[in-house]
Amino acid sequence: MTLRRRAATVLLGCLLTAGCAAADPVGTESKTATAPGDPASVVVEVRLAAGSVSPVDERREAKVGQPVEIVVDSDTTDELHVHGTPEHTFPIVAATGQRFRFTVDVPGRVELELHRAHRTVVTLLVRG
């Protein structure tokens, strides 16, 4: 376990003890509240409306360990898959302002794909 991951685990434990966060079930990912406009994050806005998806296969860059925040407005349900290391799956519901946050630990190409819509929303080029 890396030092960064250990620090994140300790911080999460402190937040849980203080009652500031809810525990995730084992093996799942969940929405994480984030400060809008966090300058350290790569922010990707996604819209699913009337059967169309925006953006489609947009190219973005991030660094290993840099937070990536996906903001989703949707009129339907779907699943967002992050094909990176680690992998993540986020459930999308018919609602606006859904926020999902993750990091990537290994450099390379990372695709963010909508499962039901069969669309790649963003391809991240993650650098070490």
Side-chain angles (χ1 to χ4, degrees):
M1 183 178 283
T2 66
L3 181 58
R4 184 178 297 189
R5 189 169 287 201
R6 284 186 196 144
T9 302
V10 169
L11 177 60
L12 179 60
C14 292
L15 289 173
L16 290 172
T17 303
C20 295
D24 287 340
V26 174
T28 64
E29 298 295 328
S30 71
K31 290 190 246 185
T32 303
T34 59
D38 177 358
S41 297
V42 173
V43 179
V44 178
E45 295 181 0
V46 177
R47 181 171 172 82
L48 288 81
S52 68
V53 175
S54 176
V56 174
D57 205 18
E58 182 175 285
R59 307 291 183 187
R60 299 292 294 272
E61 292 188 11
K63 296 178 184 173
V64 169
Q66 181 178 19
V68 177
E69 182 176 355
I70 310 300
V71 181
V72 179
D73 291 338
S74 180
D75 65 359
T76 188
T77 60
D78 207 322
E79 282 185 347
L80 179 69
H81 294 179
V82 178
H83 296 281
T85 302
E87 289 195 358
H88 303 276
T89 299
F90 300 105
I92 294 174
V93 298
T96 59
Q98 300 167 78
R99 294 182 176 274
F100 308 103
R101 189 173 174 136
F102 64 92
T103 60
V104 178
D105 296 341
V106 176
R109 290 175 46 118
V110 175
E111 293 182 343
L112 284 66
E113 169 195 49
L114 291 168
H115 179 70
R116 292 190 184 113
H118 303 289
R119 296 279 190 275
T120 299
V121 178
V122 172
T123 300
L124 290 173
L125 176 58
V126 180
R127 299 183 190 275

